Amino acid sequence: MQKDFHYYAACCAAILAGYSAEDSIRIAYSDQFTDCCTRPLLRKMHAPLSAVTTQVPAEMVNARTDILGLQDITRIWASFHFLPYDLEADLPGKPKGYRNKYRLICNPNGPLLAETVNLAKKAGSLQAAGLAMHILSDTWAHRYFAGTPSLVINNTNEHFFEILPGGKERKILFRHNPRAADDLENSCYLSSVYQENEYSVMNLGHGRAGHLPDYSFIRYRYLPAWGEYAEVVKDNPEDYYHAFAQMVYALRYLRGAEPEFRTDTYAWDIVRPWETEIRDILGRRQPDACADWKRFGEKLAGCGLPDFDGDRFPEEYLAAPEGGKESSDAGKFLFAAMAQKSMVTGRIFHSGSLLAGYSLDFGKKIRGIRDFYELIKIYQEGGR
């Protein structure tokens, strides 16, 4: 997904869930900031590097693909953008290495989604709510892809067809020039370059399918590697509508208006009066729907909504006194990010996989990433 959904649509969902316009903006800001919180930015903020939630293309070009580098990539992308659906999936006849990667495939309504939302509930902050909404909505946009570099899971082939309104189809063409914009008129899109190396970063997530999962308007069919190249149909307008209605329900739970969070549950009654308008935005053929979602949000809020300012959290964190950084909005986001990553890393580790590294549990404390680096330090020093 892009800023149009992660910021403006998230703000709309929060307003419909009963939050004030001010609190809705704060939730939406953390949702979108999940796509901005890189290591270079955290270094500038003098903030904990373990709170990193994304990696930009410039970082990925130089990313390590040895075991530690791959584990680092997996911790970030599986925790925040490709939440694993079924860490207990059984694949008779398949080797353990393949099974562990298959288990990281993202899909909506898995057990880890409930844990993610409940972790945000426990944190009790608007920033944790926004982070959780980013992860929730990405389970719909990024379904069928895994947040780990893997050719055998994430690869596709040239069999891509866009399903146009009325059922007519058009062959999708991919190109690999990162400076070229997607050509929606001719169904020509950017994608990563094919690399036969299983661990190439080109095989991370939906890189082989380009930006298709991030566009709300598109419907298409293709052949994923994990399904032994059996055809899958992806209906983004319908998936995004489900994501929106599920966000409203989840945010109502986080606000205390719902007694519990249940997967595969949606705030249909609340969203229904706005269904035509929402579906119209989702189905409009355009690369960026920010203006449409902003207008809708301002209509719901009855006031103007500010554009996303990526400098707000960094500036706020740097300006906070040493003892007050953790209680700032930025500090609450960073804590929520570290808690989420530790939870997901722990679940992957306890499933029997080391794809995201080690995670150790000590009492009721949130542990995981820090423990992993301590183990690496011991290893490098020649210890056990």
Side-chain angles (χ1 to χ4, degrees):
M1 286 180 171
Q2 306 177 114
K3 183 171 64 177
D4 50 11
F5 203 90
H6 281 313
Y7 182 66
Y8 295 102
C11 189
C12 295
I15 292 169
L16 288 176
Y19 287 91
S20 67
E22 180 182 357
D23 285 350
S24 297
I25 292 166
R26 293 170 74 190
I27 289 169
Y29 187 93
S30 289
D31 188 328
Q32 173 59 22
F33 192 72
T34 309
D35 275 342
C36 305
C37 189
T38 64
R39 279 199 181 89
L41 181 61
L42 289 169
R43 288 192 182 96
K44 291 180 181 178
M45 293 169 62
H46 304 292
L49 296 184
S50 56
V52 60
T53 60
T54 193
Q55 295 169 296
V56 295
E59 291 178 89
M60 298 306 294
V61 168
N62 298 312
R64 294 167 53 181
T65 54
D66 59 4
I67 186 170
L68 300 187
L70 290 169
Q71 288 171 338
D72 179 55
I73 292 169
T74 303
R75 282 194 297 275
I76 294 169
W77 293 95
S79 296
F80 302 108
H81 309 283
F82 296 86
L83 192 69
Y85 172 72
D86 185 3
L87 289 175
E88 298 181 358
D90 191 21
L91 297 171
K94 295 288 186 181
K96 180 180 178 181
Y98 178 87
R99 183 198 67 196
N100 287 341
K101 293 173 186 177
Y102 181 93
R103 286 177 170 182
L104 295 188
I105 293 174
C106 177
N107 244 320
N109 292 311
L112 284 186
L113 175 63
E115 289 204 57
T116 293
V117 175
N118 282 311
L119 192 60
K121 178 77 168 181
K122 184 177 180 181
S125 71
L126 297 173
Q127 293 71 34
L131 178 77
M133 293 308 99
H134 185 106
I135 297 162
L136 181 156
S137 54
D138 268 357
T139 63
W140 290 93
H142 297 166
R143 64 190 313 185
Y144 309 138
F145 295 96
T148 194
S150 174
L151 179 71
V152 299
I153 299 297
N154 291 322
N155 190 39
T156 64
N157 63 16
E158 71 283 352
H159 182 96
F160 265 91
F161 293 88
E162 183 169 357
I163 305 169
L164 300 170
K168 188 176 180 180
E169 296 190 357
R170 183 164 58 197
K171 183 82 167 63
I172 290 174
L173 301 175
F174 286 113
R175 53 189 172 188
H176 312 299
N177 179 1
R179 296 183 180 180
D182 285 344
D183 180 359
L184 277 57
E185 291 278 329
N186 297 297
S187 296
C188 186
Y189 301 96
L190 174 72
S191 76
S192 63
V193 180
Y194 173 78
Q195 294 286 340
E196 63 181 13
N197 181 352
E198 167 67 14
Y199 307 106
S200 169
V201 294
M202 295 292 178
N203 298 319
L204 170 66
H206 60 77
R208 298 293 295 128
H211 292 300
L212 299 189
D214 293 329
Y215 290 142
S216 66
F217 67 83
I218 195 168
R219 297 177 177 88
Y220 58 98
R221 55 188 181 91
Y222 74 107
L223 308 178
W226 59 261
E228 298 182 350
Y229 296 101
E231 188 174 81
V232 165
V233 175
K234 186 71 166 67
D235 186 341
N236 281 10
E238 193 60 39
D239 283 351
Y240 276 54
Y241 188 68
H242 274 72
F244 186 85
Q246 191 170 44
M247 275 202 298
V248 176
Y249 165 69
L251 287 167
R252 282 177 54 79
Y253 165 68
L254 293 176
R255 193 173 65 82
E258 297 286 347
E260 61 178 329
F261 178 80
R262 300 184 302 274
T263 55
D264 203 17
T265 306
Y266 312 88
W268 296 128
D269 289 346
I270 295 173
V271 175
R272 188 168 293 115
W274 310 99
E275 180 175 359
T276 299
E277 196 162 352
I278 293 169
R279 287 191 182 275
D280 181 57
I281 296 173
L282 292 175
R284 199 165 296 155
R285 193 175 184 80
Q286 56 186 346
D288 183 342
C290 286
D292 291 335
W293 280 112
K294 183 177 182 179
R295 279 192 293 270
F296 181 52
E298 290 177 341
K299 178 179 176 179
L300 294 175
C303 62
L305 298 178
D307 292 333
F308 179 77
D309 177 8
D311 293 328
R312 186 170 79 80
F313 268 9
E315 290 175 354
E316 175 193 279
Y317 193 80
L318 286 168
E322 197 57 40
K325 291 186 183 298
E326 290 187 2
S327 59
S328 67
D329 282 1
K332 291 174 184 176
F333 173 88
L334 298 178
F335 176 80
M338 289 188 284
Q340 172 70 14
K341 193 186 298 182
S342 289
M343 183 274 286
V344 175
T345 301
R347 297 298 176 265
I348 294 173
F349 174 69
H350 289 298
S351 74
S353 169
L354 290 178
L355 287 173
Y358 288 90
S359 180
L360 305 178
D361 297 322
F362 296 113
K364 296 183 179 179
K365 295 181 179 179
I366 298 173
R367 304 296 290 261
I369 307 306
R370 187 174 300 171
D371 307 329
F372 172 76
Y373 284 117
E374 287 298 317
L375 286 171
I376 296 305
K377 182 180 178 182
I378 293 171
Y379 173 79
Q380 290 175 337
E381 292 173 351
R384 57 186 174 85

